[in-house]
Amino acid sequence: MRLSCLQENLAKGLNIVGRAAASRSTLPITTNVLLATDEGRLKLSATNLEMAVTCWLGAKVEEDGATTVPAKLMTEFVGSLPSDKVDMILTANKTLTLKCGRFEARMTGVDAKDFPPVPRVEGGVTAKVDVSEFKKGVSRVVFAAATDESRPVLTGIDAQFEGSVLTLAAADGFRLAVYKMALAEPVAQKVKAIIPSKTLAEVSRLIADADEAISITVDTQKSQILFKLKNVELVSQLLQGSFPQYSQIIPQSHTTRVVLDVPQFLRAARAAQIFARDGGGIVRLIMTPGSGKTPGRLSITARSEEIGDDQAELDAAVSGEEAKIAFNGKYLLDVLSVLTEDQVALEVTGPSSPGVIRPVGTDNYIHVVMPMFVQW
C-alpha cells in the first residue's frame, strides 16, 4: 500500500471512526483501525463488534493495500503532525511508515484479513431525515435512557417509523421523553427498532457538521441499523426485546398548568440543584395562581440538613388550582437544558402523579417525570 492524503483530512477521519474502536477487548484487533484503499480513496473503519463506523477520505493512491494499526496510537500521532501532506507506505513486513514534513513514524500493523468484517445492511426499510431535526430529536430523548443494564431494553431508544413520522422515545423508569419528527418521504411499511442509546449519541456527534439528509436503514431480520451520510457510515446492532407501552404512562389531563420562561426556570433549577445534591436530590415546586393584577408564581425550593436551603420565586402564568410537586433536581435540569424554545409548560395533577413538561408552541415533544414523595 502506498498513498498520500492531507493531515487535516486524515485527523478528522480518525476522530470520526476512532470512538468506535474497542478500548479493551477479548479480541485485540478491535482496538485497531482498518486502513484500506477503496476505488481511489482511503477507507478507515473501526468496530467494537456492537457498532462499526466507516469513513472515506480523498487520497492519492499509488498502490492498493490494507492493514490495521492501533487506533489510539494512530489518532494521537496524526493529530500531532503539522498541516501538510501525509505519505503512507506499507512494507512487506507489515510495518506502516508515515511521513509528514520532517516527521516520520513506523507502526507495526496486523493483517487486515483478521479484522472483523463490517456488516452490510442492504435489506429492510430505508428512511431519510433532515440532519438538524434528527440531531435535535436525539438530544431531547437520549439522556432519558437508562444507564443501568438490569433492563437492557431501557438502555436503548425506541424508534418507530410509520408513514411520514419517526417517533423516538426513551424511558428509565423515572422519566419518559418522546419526540416526533417528519421524514423526508413516507416509509414503505411501519417498522420498530430499539437502538442502543450509545449508538444514537455517536450518530449525533458524527452529524454535527453535516448539512445533508441522513439515510437510516433498519433491517429487523438481521437486527441491524445503518446510518449513512455522504462519506460516513455507521452500522449498529439493535437491542432485542419489547419496549414498554409508554403511551399509557402519559397523563391525559391535568388540574394545574404553569407556563414559564425557559431561561429563568433553568436558572432557578440550577440554583436549587446545588442544595438538592446533598438533600436526596429533592426539588420542591409550589404553583400559585394569580389574582387580579397579581401574577401567578412558581416557588422552587431545595434543602439540605447539613448545608442549608435555597428558594426562588418566578412569575408564571398559572391556570387551574394551587398545586405542589417534588422532582429529582437532576431530571428537571436534564430536560430544561435541551429546550431551545422561549417558554415551557409544566402540567400537574397532584403531588403523587407524574408531571408533564412540554415546550410552548410545538406539539412534537413531551417529557414525563415521576414525582418524589416528600414531607410537606
Side-chain angles (χ1 to χ4, degrees), residues 43-61:
K43 180 175 81 170
L44 306 176
S45 290
T47 181
N48 57 14
L49 300 182
E50 293 175 2
M51 176 175 72
V53 180
T54 302
C55 174
W56 287 266
L57 308 175
K60 184 182 177 185
V61 178

Side-chain angles (χ1 to χ4, degrees), residues 157-176:
I157 311 295
D158 184 64
Q160 293 189 35
F161 300 80
E162 185 173 12
S164 299
V165 178
L166 166 59
T167 304
L168 299 178
D172 63 2
F174 302 101
R175 52 188 168 170
L176 164 70

Side-chain angles (χ1 to χ4, degrees), residues 10 21 220 284:
L10 183 56
T220 50
R284 292 173 168 83

